Amino acid sequence: MTYRLTIIVPVYNEEDNLLRVEKELLSYLKIATVPTKILFVNDGSNDKSQELIEQICERNKDFYFISLSKNKGLSVAIKAGFDHLDTELVGYIDSDLQTSPSDFNLLLEHIDEFDLVTGVRANRKDSFVKKMSSTIANGIRRTFTHDGMDDTGCPLKVIKSSYAKKIPMFKGLHRFLPAMILLQDGKIKQIPIQHFPRIAGEAKYGLWNRLLGPLMDCFAYLWMKKKYINYEIEKSNNE
């Protein structure tokens, strides 16, 4: 099969979620609007996640994995996924399944016209503190990036791989993916999607890395924006 979309699933100590992830992604593959494969990126888990991932990939032909030697964080896991792409499109979903794979089809409806389509978590099923800190962090990022996005941290996105591979990743950049597409003169769009409470496993982000950490990342983004190289070749005889 020639795949068009790779869905990256970063995993860090999600042994209690992975069988449910398998079930949900298998259900999605039956209704996916483009040929799709799944790429687990094990970010140095120290539970049974890797063992489960290998079992899942062994029994499902459209499932693949890479495993990092050490835990490096979400941005590194996403970067590793980008580096191993061989499809036209790349999607991203968290392994906590607080978003639904079925909503990839909503994003894919717009990907021909746009270069990144991201979800906006409607009616979020999170605690008051988590929702408020996320709202504040998103407001701070909009002030710095002017990307117009209401929920840059939403863990459900589809990106054209030609743009994803040009993103110079740094830690925390997963929160700035729309802005990094704009730096490439790409077009972005946000679409409301479903959101669910976490059923199993533990959240990997607390108040510090949900609010204060992103504020520090904004200054790294401004440095990146100032130094970023972007060009378009108008004419060439190098064929």
Side-chain angles (χ1 to χ4, degrees):
M1 175 186 294
T2 300
Y3 299 105
R4 189 179 178 208
L5 170 67
T6 299
I7 295 177
I8 295 173
V9 186
V11 176
Y12 178 61
N13 291 349
E14 293 285 0
E15 63 181 10
D16 294 331
N17 272 322
L18 283 171
L19 294 181
R20 193 165 63 94
V21 170
E22 176 189 20
K23 179 181 177 181
E24 292 294 322
L25 288 172
L26 280 173
S27 295
Y28 173 67
L29 291 179
K30 295 177 182 177
I31 63 169
T33 54
V34 300
T36 300
K37 69 177 180 178
I38 311 300
L39 178 63
F40 288 109
V41 181
N42 180 19
D43 183 23
S45 297
N46 53 29
D47 63 358
K48 294 182 179 179
S49 291
Q50 180 59 29
E51 179 182 343
L52 290 169
I53 287 171
E54 292 185 23
Q55 293 172 3
I56 291 170
C57 292
E58 184 175 351
R59 61 179 173 253
N60 298 291
K61 64 181 180 62
D62 299 317
F63 286 65
Y64 302 84
F65 75 86
I66 56 176
S67 184
L68 306 186
S69 58
K70 296 180 180 179
N71 174 240
K72 293 291 188 177
L74 183 55
S75 291
V76 175
I78 293 174
K79 166 65 171 169
F82 286 172
D83 288 345
H84 286 78
L85 288 177
D86 58 3
T87 56
E88 173 192 352
L89 303 173
V90 56
Y92 156 56
I93 188 171
D94 275 353
S95 51
D96 60 16
L97 286 184
Q98 287 194 257
T99 53
S100 172
S102 65
D103 285 340
F104 275 118
N105 285 349
L106 297 177
L107 307 187
L108 287 167
E109 290 179 9
H110 305 274
I111 197 61
D112 288 338
E113 183 180 355
F114 294 88
D115 304 302
L116 174 146
V117 185
T118 183
V120 177
R121 291 168 284 189
N123 192 22
R124 286 187 65 171
K125 307 297 183 182
D126 286 323
S127 67
F128 174 79
V129 171
K130 186 173 181 179
K131 287 189 287 187
M132 284 303 300
S133 59
S134 180
T135 298
I136 294 170
N138 275 307
I140 293 171
R141 281 193 291 271
R142 278 197 304 273
T143 300
F144 277 81
T145 65
H146 304 289
D147 61 11
M149 297 287 101
D150 297 317
D151 189 11
T152 59
C154 177
L156 196 80
K157 293 178 172 64
V158 174
I159 314 171
K160 289 178 179 172
S161 296
S162 58
Y163 283 80
K165 285 180 172 290
K166 293 179 183 177
I167 295 175
M169 295 290 279
F170 59 84
K171 290 184 178 180
L173 191 69
H174 62 276
R175 304 180 182 98
F176 294 84
L177 292 178
M180 298 307 296
I181 300 302
L182 290 178
L183 285 184
Q184 300 180 50
D185 297 323
K187 296 189 295 182
I188 62 178
K189 186 177 181 64
Q190 55 185 3
I191 300 292
I193 62 166
Q194 306 171 85
H195 190 250
F196 306 93
R198 175 184 268 272
I199 294 177
E202 296 181 357
K204 307 304 186 293
Y205 292 93
L207 181 61
W208 166 257
N209 51 18
R210 189 180 295 119
L211 183 56
L212 299 181
L215 176 59
M216 297 172 63
D217 291 338
C218 285
F219 293 101
Y221 166 78
L222 289 182
W223 179 89
M224 176 80 68
K225 182 178 180 180
K226 183 177 181 180
K227 302 292 185 180
Y228 187 73
I229 295 174
N230 188 41
Y231 63 90
E232 180 179 350
I233 296 175
E234 181 179 18
K235 187 182 295 186
S236 172
N237 69 345
N238 184 27
E239 298 293 341

